[in-house]
């Protein structure tokens, strides 16, 4: 599999992270290029933002490429509110 679309759920909170991680890790491992779509995301908590950062870091550490699609206002607001200034995450989400 070359390209994979990962669609973030409407809610990415501590309650969803474990199940969602199990769902997307195999997709990441089978792909060379990942598109992350956050268009349905309406609620994200601190754990959800940390999870997204971990996923982005994991994808890049494997030498794979990422394309970010949509750029959820909720995600941007959460990143600002939490004071996250991680360059990796900001590069994809905040431009």
């Amino acid at each position: 599999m070359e390209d994979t679309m990962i669609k973030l759920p409407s809610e990415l909170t501590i309650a969803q992270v474990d199940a969602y991680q199990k769902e997307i890790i195999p997709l990441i491992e089978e792909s060379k290029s990942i598109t992350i779509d956050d268009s349905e995301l309406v609620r994200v908590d601190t754990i959800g933002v940390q999870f997204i950062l971990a996923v982005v870091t994991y994808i890049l550490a494997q030498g794979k490429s990422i394309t970010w699609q949509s750029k959820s206002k909720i995600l941007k607001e959460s990143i600002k509110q939490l004071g996250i200034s991680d360059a990796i995450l900001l590069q994809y989400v905040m431009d």
Side-chain angles (χ1 to χ4, degrees):
M1 188 181 280
E2 291 290 313
D3 296 331
T4 296
M5 168 76 73
I6 294 177
K7 200 167 196 66
L8 296 181
S10 60
E11 291 192 13
L12 191 55
T13 64
I14 193 168
Q16 290 86 23
V17 165
D18 277 349
Y20 193 66
Q21 178 179 353
K22 290 178 178 108
E23 183 182 317
I24 67 166
I25 293 299
L27 296 175
I28 293 169
E29 291 177 351
E30 295 171 3
S31 305
K32 291 187 187 264
S33 141
I34 314 291
T35 298
I36 299 175
D37 179 354
D38 65 10
S39 61
E40 294 181 8
L41 190 66
V42 293
R43 184 167 175 244
V44 62
D45 67 3
T46 303
I47 300 298
V49 173
Q50 289 173 336
F51 172 74
I52 293 168
L53 175 58
V55 167
V56 169
T57 303
Y58 178 70
I59 292 168
L60 295 175
Q62 293 191 12
K64 300 178 181 196
S65 67
I66 299 174
T67 304
W68 205 278
Q69 187 172 302
S70 178
K71 301 185 170 59
S72 163
K73 285 183 182 178
I74 296 295
L75 182 55
K76 287 181 184 181
E77 288 170 12
S78 296
I79 290 168
K80 284 181 187 173
Q81 195 171 40
L82 293 169
I84 294 174
S85 58
D86 188 284
I88 292 172
L89 191 55
L90 297 179
Q91 171 186 349
Y92 292 101
V93 180
M94 301 301 277
D95 60 348

